[in-house]
Amino acid sequence: MRFQMIDRIAVEEEGEGPAIVCVHGLGGSSNTFTPLMPAMARHRVIRLDLPGSGRSQRAEGGLTIERYVATILDVCDRLNVLRAHWVGHSMGNIVLQHIAAAHPKRVASLTMFGPLITPPDAARTAIQARAAKAREGASGMQDITLALLQASISADTRERLPIAVAYVRESLMRQDGENYARSCEALAAAQPAAIENIEAPVLLVTGDEDGVAPPQAVRAMADKLHRAASKRVVVLPRCGHWTPIERPEECQRELRDFLAANARS
């Protein structure tokens, strides 16, 4: 594995073969995709921490979806990645939808775990309130984490998979309060991509208890992918929003099969 900082952005690179670029969501990091690494064998896997998240904490200035897009494309250019399979989680999927819609030649396939087009209005208000809470510092982040452990992972995960719960807790608690607040503001202000223009094959995976990406919304999203070469919606039982963490084996299987089916894309 190779680790490097590219303009204050933490980037991990591992393996050889066709490129895969992984983009995490709010409160996540490159480690969101660690459970999926076995499914991405025989690929050159590039995982980065978005500006303001994980180990990319030193990013200055405002954070927006547009900035995330520009940052990712710049990293890919620096690494000579002109076309890739893209894998996202949560907010990262909004970023990837903008890339796929605007830069179709760069996208061999698109896999989205916990996908949403943009947050609904009520969620935007709640995310803004979360940003204010995060600016209270460690105590605010603890309150946010406790609330999200109840809301974002399934009851079955909380009962049976304490390691998954511990991962989500640590991922959130490790975020710097101010940077997490700015990330919240980026999500709250997100504008929809022209997803009807996406041409690549698309895999959408959500949980039946995912309140951020509920199955009915994900199916409605898939219905808008009119130009996609193919599309598949998978709903995992007894699973919340952190699909790769809560149901790693099932997510590995779906991703592995999807990549194999689109190996020549």
Side-chain angles (χ1 to χ4, degrees):
M1 180 188 296
R2 179 187 180 196
F3 174 82
Q4 60 183 312
M5 299 295 294
I6 300 177
D7 290 339
R8 299 186 176 185
I9 301 302
V11 181
E12 291 181 34
E13 187 176 350
E14 183 174 352
E16 296 180 355
I20 298 177
V21 181
C22 301
V23 182
H24 65 80
L26 178 64
S29 71
S30 63
N31 281 321
T32 300
F33 302 100
T34 298
L36 301 182
M37 291 300 290
M40 297 186 282
R42 297 184 294 280
H43 287 81
R44 178 189 179 193
V45 182
I46 297 162
R47 298 183 284 169
L48 54 83
D49 289 352
L50 290 171
S53 294
R55 290 162 293 177
S56 302
Q57 297 283 348
R58 296 180 61 202
E60 298 176 350
L63 300 179
T64 63
I65 298 299
E66 293 75 19
R67 179 176 176 183
Y68 294 150
V69 169
T71 296
I72 292 166
L73 293 179
D74 179 63
V75 167
C76 287
D77 288 344
R78 298 280 198 96
L79 298 176
N80 197 32
V81 176
L82 303 180
R83 183 173 174 83
H85 299 276
W86 298 79
V87 179
H89 177 245
S90 193
M91 180 180 72
N93 293 315
I94 300 176
V95 180
L96 297 191
Q97 289 161 42
H98 280 274
I99 292 174
H103 305 277
K105 292 183 179 180
R106 302 193 75 140
V107 182
S109 73
L110 179 59
T111 299
M112 298 186 284
F113 294 96
L116 69 162
I117 299 175
T118 55
D121 289 342
R124 291 180 193 269
T125 301
I127 294 166
Q128 289 282 15
R130 198 190 308 171
K133 172 66 71 173
R135 288 193 166 97
E136 296 175 6
S139 63
M141 288 304 301
Q142 184 174 29
D143 291 343
I144 289 168
T145 299
L146 291 174
L148 289 179
L149 288 176
Q150 292 298 313
S152 67
I153 58 180
S154 72
D156 183 74
T157 298
R158 291 196 302 273
E159 179 180 343
R160 292 195 308 109
L161 300 172
I163 293 177
V165 177
Y167 169 82
V168 175
R169 181 179 186 275
E170 184 69 5
S171 185
L172 292 166
M173 289 295 293
R174 283 279 180 176
Q175 305 292 332
D176 172 79
E178 174 60 29
N179 284 320
Y180 183 82
R182 292 191 298 149
S183 302
C184 286
E185 289 163 350
L187 177 57
Q191 296 301 305
I195 66 170
E196 65 277 3
N197 293 333
I198 293 175
E199 300 175 359
V202 182
L203 171 64
L204 307 96
V205 182
T206 192
D208 61 352
E209 296 182 35
D210 189 336
V212 177
Q216 65 271 25
V218 174
R219 292 190 181 100
M221 179 180 176
D223 288 341
K224 296 179 181 180
L225 296 169
H226 306 301
R227 299 179 65 183
S230 65
K231 53 191 177 183
R232 171 172 165 79
V233 175
V234 177
V235 179
L236 300 177
R238 301 178 302 283
C239 182
H241 186 54
W242 288 79
T243 34
I245 307 300
E246 296 185 63
R247 297 293 179 266
E249 293 84 3
E250 293 91 331
C251 291
Q252 280 184 34
R253 182 182 65 246
E254 294 294 341
L255 178 57
R256 183 183 294 109
D257 291 349
F258 182 67
L259 290 171
N262 294 286
R264 299 184 181 276
S265 297

